[in-house]
Amino acid sequence: METTVMNFFPALDAGYEPKDYAYAKADIPIGTFVATLDFMLWSKSGLTVNCFFTLTDSGKKVTLSVYRKAANQDRYMAGGTEVRYLPFGTSVELTIEANELGKPLLVDMVIRKN
């Protein structure tokens, strides 16, 4: 199976605009939200998948990171969901909590059945 995560410049060439998505801790809401996965980018290091979502209720655009899990070196898990193969446009339920520094952390992503 081929990953849907894109590299930065090909994503820009395809019309995706990462700059339109909030990432500051003050701009990311905490709680559980229904969202659409708009696109995903590899981080520069390749250790993180940056996921770009539109929150369904508010229309707010946010970005959250999914980190490679140490126990599963080749898996990028948000809860029980491996994110690398999700099609863009997938409807998901996100659970976002604040870590010890107050930074938003994506702790779970569940694919919604339409």
Side-chain angles (χ1 to χ4, degrees), residues 84-106:
R84 290 179 299 164
Y85 306 105
L86 291 175
F88 299 166
T90 298
S91 179
V92 294
E93 184 175 283
L94 307 174
T95 301
I96 306 165
E97 296 178 357
N99 70 9
E100 60 278 355
L101 300 175
K103 182 180 178 195
L105 183 66
L106 178 59

Side-chain angles (χ1 to χ4, degrees), residues 35-108:
T36 301
L37 174 64
D38 296 330
F39 64 100
M40 296 180 288
L41 297 177
W42 289 111
S43 67
K44 289 180 184 179
S45 68
L47 299 176
T48 307
V49 173
N50 298 311
C51 301
F52 296 81
F53 300 99
T54 300
L55 302 181
T56 302
D57 288 345
S58 66
K60 184 173 189 133
K61 295 179 179 295
V62 300
T63 182
L64 295 159
S65 297
V66 176
Y67 300 91
R68 187 168 64 189
K69 301 296 181 196
N72 299 308
Q73 284 297 319
D74 60 342
R75 300 185 75 195
Y76 294 78
M77 304 295 293
T81 302
E82 162 61 270
V83 302
R84 290 179 299 164
Y85 306 105
L86 291 175
F88 299 166
T90 298
S91 179
V92 294
E93 184 175 283
L94 307 174
T95 301
I96 306 165
E97 296 178 357
N99 70 9
E100 60 278 355
L101 300 175
K103 182 180 178 195
L105 183 66
L106 178 59
V107 295
D108 198 15

Side-chain angles (χ1 to χ4, degrees), residues 22-29 60-62 104:
Y23 61 88
K25 69 180 178 181
D27 296 329
I28 308 290
K60 184 173 189 133
K61 295 179 179 295
V62 300

